């Protein structure tokens, strides 16, 4: 882990040392946990929490627990659980223990009875809307002082899922006058009789809430440090109250700032709207901040981890531009991305080159500065394809350089009959215009390149914003290009650089078809500069 920290500092160009403000970090004794709810796909905010918990467990030779918070059957779906486990593996995280809060339901129900018997919890029949109103007004429920035996009776009705029990909940008896809303008698158990639980079926008719289950199970499982986003810092006193009320050891609560990016939607509800409206192609769309989305767009795990860990443990949340994290990503991919060539298909200009071989092929390095990557085949011919913009800028008599081949004197600039003469003995490449080119041969393939813009037009979307009003319905742009023959060998997920175009990730492999739905597809990877245009 020490070596990883050095790598983090290299990638973010910092000299910072690893120091944290948390007590009790003893080597071999640190236990952390990542407690996702299987109610949606992981986004980069969740990834930050997972990576921080994983880093501390590894740095101190400790243990990481992955614990699914399955306390609300209505929200949870198996597909999300499978996706979360898969996403954790994608970002290099494998817990030492995989468990579920439901593993502890029997103990949690015993604790519920204990809290009622000790006068620290009570059953409440107040309707939900009225309860919410009373909490806002800091008014105590009439049921707060009811006899312990009555609360125990109602708890049993809840467990049965009876008509009376379904009107009831169990609340902690803390402080209804508190300025901290999380201490105003939070709910500990509530009924859910309609939705079978994914693991326990219909065995239970009521379930513990996260507010009770998380601190209790953390303590029981030996968690030493509970890391979570600073947006939940006001719930820290509640977390400690739960541990104290049950007589359990307190884990250390450790806060870190939330990841907030400009022009980014993190709300599951708002992201679902984009999926439902078919503005995006699913939860793995490269415009989404989901783990699947950002990886599909070309973010590397190494860069993501370096960026997240370099944020340190400031609890001050700031709205960041995406260019910072993409710039880190560029430092990862630039030294290892093979170089390729693409020329826009619709406007490509053919130039006949006198003196050039009618047909030739050579093996050249895929990356001039990194021979370890290997070689590629470059095809040469006496007809080449040029970018229209390059062709329009040329003048008769000008000497230009066909990149990585040689110099050519321009004899005619007529785009319908452009001609040049190959100058094999002219090796002065310093002052000449450099041109991207491809041999006009049958082996050239057609590829589809995609560039994405932000899916919203507002830098910071607020909770009250109507997503329809800020949605960018024109955020996906396609271009068909001719590409070099070596592209046929790419696999999905391979990252390359197109000379003078930027970095791309292979999203769909070559299938020997020009049909749009089957065409080889590559997605542009931002490099930390493009984002500044937005």
């Amino acid at each position: 882990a020490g070596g990883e920290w050095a790598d983090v500092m290299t990638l973010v160009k910092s000299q910072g040392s690893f120091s944290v403000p948390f007590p009790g970090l003893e080597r071999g004794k640190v236990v952390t946990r990542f407690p996702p709810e299987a109610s949606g796909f992981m986004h980069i905010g969740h990834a930050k929490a997972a990576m921080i918990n994983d880093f501390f467990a590894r740095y101190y030779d400790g243990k990481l627990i992955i614990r699914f918070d399955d306390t609300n059957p209505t929200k949870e779906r198996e597909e999300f659980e499978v996706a979360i486990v898969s996403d954790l593996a994608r970002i290099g995280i494998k817990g030492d223990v995989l468990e579920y809060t439901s593993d502890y339901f029997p103990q949690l129900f015993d604790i519920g009875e204990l809290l009622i018997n000790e006068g620290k919890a009570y059953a409440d029949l107040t309707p939900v809307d009225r309860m919410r109103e009373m909490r806002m007004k800091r008014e105590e429920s009439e049921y707060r002082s009811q006899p312990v035996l009555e609360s125990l009776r109602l708890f049993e009705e809840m467990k049965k899922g009876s008509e009376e029990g379904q009107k009831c909940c169990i609340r902690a008896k803390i402080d209804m006058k508190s300025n901290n809303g999380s201490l105003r008698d939070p709910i500990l158990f509530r009924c859910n009789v309609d939705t079978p639980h994914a693991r326990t079926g219909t065995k239970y008719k009521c379930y513990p809430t996260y507010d009770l289950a998380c601190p209790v199970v953390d303590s029981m499982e030996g968690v030493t440090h509970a890391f979570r986003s600073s947006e939940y810092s006001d719930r820290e006193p509640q977390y400690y109250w739960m541990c104290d009320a049950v007589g359990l050891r307190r884990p250390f609560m450790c806060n870190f700032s939330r990841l907030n990016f400009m022009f980014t939607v993190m709300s599951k509800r708002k992201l679902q709207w984009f999926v439902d409206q078919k503005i995006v192609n699913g939860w793995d769309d490269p415009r989404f901040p989901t783990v699947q989305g950002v990886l599909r767009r070309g973010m590397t795990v190494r860069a993501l981890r370096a960026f997240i860990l370099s944020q340190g443990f400031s609890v001050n949340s700031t709205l960041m531009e995406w260019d910072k994290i993409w710039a880190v990503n560029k430092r990862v991919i630039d030294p290892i991305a093979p170089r390729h060539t693409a020329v826009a298909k619709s406007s490509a200009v053919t130039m006949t080159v006198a003196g050039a071989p009618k047909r030739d092929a050579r093996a050249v390095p895929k990356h001039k500065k990194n021979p370890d990557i290997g070689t590629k085949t470059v095809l040469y011919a006496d007809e080449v394809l040029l970018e229209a913009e390059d062709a329009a800028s040329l003048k008769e008599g000008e000497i230009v350089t066909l990149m990585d081949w040689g110099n050519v004197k321009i004899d005619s600039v007529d785009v319908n009959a452009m001609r040049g003469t190959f100058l094999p003995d002219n090796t002065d490449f310093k002052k000449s215009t450099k041109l991207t080119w491809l041999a006009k041969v049958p082996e050239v393939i057609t590829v589809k390149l995609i560039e994405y813009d932000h899916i919203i037009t507002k830098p910071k979307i607020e909770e009250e914003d109507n997503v329809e009003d800020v949605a960018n319905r024109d955020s996906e742009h396609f271009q068909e290009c001719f590409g070099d023959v070596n592209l046929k060998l790419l696999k999905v997920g391979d990252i390359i650089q197109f000379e003078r175009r930027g970095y791309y990730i292979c999203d769909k492999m070559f299938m020997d078809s020009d049909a749009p739905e089957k065409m080889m597809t590559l997605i542009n990877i931002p490099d930390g500069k493009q984002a500044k245009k937005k």
Side-chain angles (χ1 to χ4, degrees), residues 133-185:
E133 179 185 336
M134 292 175 70
R135 290 184 81 244
M136 293 295 292
K137 293 180 178 179
R138 308 187 189 196
E139 296 175 357
E140 291 188 357
S141 166
E142 62 181 291
Y143 300 98
R144 201 175 196 266
S145 57
Q146 74 182 351
V148 166
L149 288 177
E150 178 62 7
S151 285
L152 288 172
R153 184 188 73 79
L154 288 170
F155 193 24
E156 290 304 313
E157 292 301 313
M158 289 177 64
K159 292 177 186 177
K160 296 174 188 174
S162 70
E163 186 175 343
E164 183 181 29
Q166 291 181 53
K167 298 176 182 177
C168 193
C169 69
I170 303 298
R171 298 177 67 182
K173 192 183 291 187
I174 308 180
D175 182 6
M176 285 300 293
K177 303 298 182 186
S178 175
N179 290 330
N180 185 332
S182 74
L183 296 179
R184 295 177 205 157
D185 292 11

Side-chain angles (χ1 to χ4, degrees), residues 143-401:
Y143 300 98
R144 201 175 196 266
S145 57
Q146 74 182 351
V148 166
L149 288 177
E150 178 62 7
S151 285
L152 288 172
R153 184 188 73 79
L154 288 170
F155 193 24
E156 290 304 313
E157 292 301 313
M158 289 177 64
K159 292 177 186 177
K160 296 174 188 174
S162 70
E163 186 175 343
E164 183 181 29
Q166 291 181 53
K167 298 176 182 177
C168 193
C169 69
I170 303 298
R171 298 177 67 182
K173 192 183 291 187
I174 308 180
D175 182 6
M176 285 300 293
K177 303 298 182 186
S178 175
N179 290 330
N180 185 332
S182 74
L183 296 179
R184 295 177 205 157
D185 292 11
I187 295 175
L188 304 181
F189 292 86
R190 74 270 183 260
C191 278
N192 187 336
V193 300
D194 298 322
T195 308
H197 190 280
R199 301 184 74 242
T200 62
T202 57
K203 179 178 180 179
Y204 298 100
K205 309 299 181 184
C206 72
Y207 297 90
T209 60
Y210 180 83
D211 288 343
L212 171 66
C214 182
V216 167
V217 177
D218 279 354
S219 186
M220 291 170 63
E221 270 294 281
V223 171
T224 59
H225 296 78
F227 292 93
R228 64 179 174 184
S229 173
S230 57
E231 66 195 284
Y232 301 110
S233 59
D234 64 334
R235 306 185 83 81
E236 193 170 310
Q238 182 201 85
Y239 182 99
Y240 287 142
W241 186 92
M242 298 292 175
C243 293
D244 295 344
V246 183
L248 292 171
R249 171 193 57 84
R250 289 183 174 191
F252 294 111
M253 289 299 300
C254 311
N255 296 319
F256 54 83
S257 62
R258 177 181 177 176
L259 268 185
N260 293 307
F261 284 103
M262 296 176 70
F263 298 101
T264 302
V265 180
M266 296 291 241
S267 159
K268 290 177 188 175
R269 178 176 56 84
K270 289 183 169 70
L271 290 171
Q272 185 67 56
W273 181 86
F274 282 93
V275 175
D276 294 341
Q277 296 297 312
K278 296 183 168 41
I279 293 175
V280 298
N281 301 314
W283 286 86
D284 66 342
D285 190 282
R287 290 162 287 185
F288 264 16
T290 55
V291 168
Q292 294 178 31
V294 296
L295 294 183
R296 187 177 168 197
R297 195 169 183 179
M299 178 65 63
T300 61
V301 172
R302 184 181 167 204
L304 180 62
R305 195 170 176 96
F307 179 81
I308 284 173
L309 294 177
S310 72
Q311 298 295 300
F313 293 92
S314 166
V315 295
N316 299 318
S317 293
T318 57
L319 194 61
M320 293 179 286
E321 291 189 42
W322 278 96
D323 65 333
K324 292 181 173 60
I325 190 169
W326 287 119
V328 173
N329 194 59
K330 179 184 176 182
R331 294 180 197 124
V332 173
I333 64 178
D334 183 69
I336 57 175
R339 273 43 175 175
H340 290 267
T341 305
V343 174
K345 184 176 181 178
S346 63
S347 58
V349 174
T350 299
M351 179 171 71
T352 301
V353 184
K358 189 167 185 65
R359 173 82 184 208
D360 194 9
R362 301 176 200 164
V364 302
K366 290 181 178 179
H367 192 309
K368 293 177 186 175
K369 297 180 180 179
N370 189 350
D372 293 340
I373 295 175
T375 60
K376 62 182 179 181
T377 300
V378 175
L379 302 179
Y380 303 84
D382 56 1
E383 284 190 317
V384 297
L385 299 168
L386 302 179
E387 294 281 9
E389 186 177 340
D390 287 342
S393 70
L394 302 180
K395 300 178 178 62
E396 286 188 12
E398 180 181 3
I399 294 178
V400 299
T401 300

Side-chain angles (χ1 to χ4, degrees), residues 68-102:
F68 278 97
D69 172 51
D70 55 346
T71 56
N72 188 348
T74 302
K75 288 186 176 182
E76 292 137 22
R77 282 163 40 190
E78 185 178 359
E79 69 170 293
F80 292 138
E81 180 184 325
V82 171
I84 289 170
V85 171
S86 174
D87 286 348
L88 287 171
R90 288 176 188 221
I91 60 176
I93 294 175
K94 186 177 187 302
D96 300 288
V97 177
L98 175 63
E99 63 181 24
Y100 300 80
T101 299
S102 56

